[in-house]
Amino acid sequence: MRTPLMAANWKMHKGPGEAVGFFNRFVEAIGDVEGREVLVCPPFVDLYVMGRKLRDLGDDAPFRLGAQNMHPAEQGAYTGEIAPPMLRAVNCDYVILGHSERRHIFGEDDEFINEKVKAARAFDLIPVLCVGETEDQRDAERAEEVVSTQLRQGLSGVDVTAPDQLVIAYEPVWAIGTGRTATPADAQAMHAHVRSILADLWDEELADGIRIQYGGSVKPHNVDELMAQPDIDGALVGGASLEVDSFTRIVNFKR
Ligand code: PEP
């Protein structure tokens, strides 16, 4: 059984004070969380204080911390960048890599993303590798091909020996921040496709255990239907993760 992973990607929102305030209210609102894991990915400047908060809650609490990006090098002359050991040092377990905003606004390609995924594994961080097609690619019926290429190149030479060492997020670019969501059936079809590629890269048993999140305008009103799909194992949530009420409802999805 795959434990659903419900993740907040705050992008460039909330400084340390707001982040802690949100988290305190969220922990109170959510109460006992069972049968799901909650991941919060705030901006870099919040990670230290959030890492301490999570440490205080203990390892048994279902809350985990992640970064939104990182550089693949261990250290060096990369002004403005953050290295994998720095993320480990502030209690991060996860790192989002290849988010469509990194690909499309900052020009990251599959080769660079692949270096990052390898570096994450080398430093014991769990990569959340984001893949997804643009609207033009979907209209041209190239969505599966585009996602296959992103997966095969992004995961090339990556050492994964257990299913909890990797998460994939399928995020159709046209659905991110737009209020448009893939239909549950279309999302399920792509998730099944992603799983078949993972089986091809490793084996079926490993692929069956790897969590594949859906991202792209996940909201309280559509989360239940999406999470009811057999290959949707969680959500990567942008806009709706910024408010305690909406993120609480999303984490409390009902199947
Ligand atoms: C995201 O940031 O990955 C995302 C899916 O954003 P939103 O939920 O706002 O579409």
Side-chain angles (χ1 to χ4, degrees), residues 9 11 99 171 175-177 215-218 236-239:
N9 172 16
K11 310 192 185 192
H99 189 279
E171 301 206 297
I176 298 177
S217 297
V218 174
L236 181 53
V237 187

Side-chain angles (χ1 to χ4, degrees), residues 62-82:
F63 308 110
R64 293 288 174 269
L65 189 63
Q68 299 173 19
N69 185 29
M70 67 171 201
H71 193 277
E74 184 172 357
Q75 59 180 3
Y78 300 101
T79 302
E81 294 291 328
I82 301 285

Side-chain angles (χ1 to χ4, degrees), residues 94-163:
Y94 289 83
V95 58
I96 298 173
L97 297 174
H99 189 279
S100 78
E101 286 149 19
R102 300 299 319 171
R103 292 176 188 266
H104 297 284
I105 303 174
F106 299 102
E108 292 189 9
D109 61 15
D110 286 320
E111 206 179 316
F112 191 42
I113 294 164
N114 177 244
E115 279 182 53
K116 295 184 184 205
V117 176
K118 284 183 183 155
R121 288 301 313 124
F123 288 95
D124 211 17
L125 288 156
I126 302 167
V128 178
L129 173 63
C130 301
V131 295
E133 80 286 355
T134 63
E135 187 157 33
D136 285 352
Q137 290 163 336
R138 176 155 283 262
D139 289 347
E141 297 186 359
R142 292 186 48 227
E144 286 200 354
E145 169 210 322
V146 167
V147 167
S148 301
T149 304
Q150 290 171 340
L151 284 170
R152 289 183 188 282
Q153 295 188 358
L155 295 170
S156 171
V158 173
D159 186 26
V160 174
T161 51

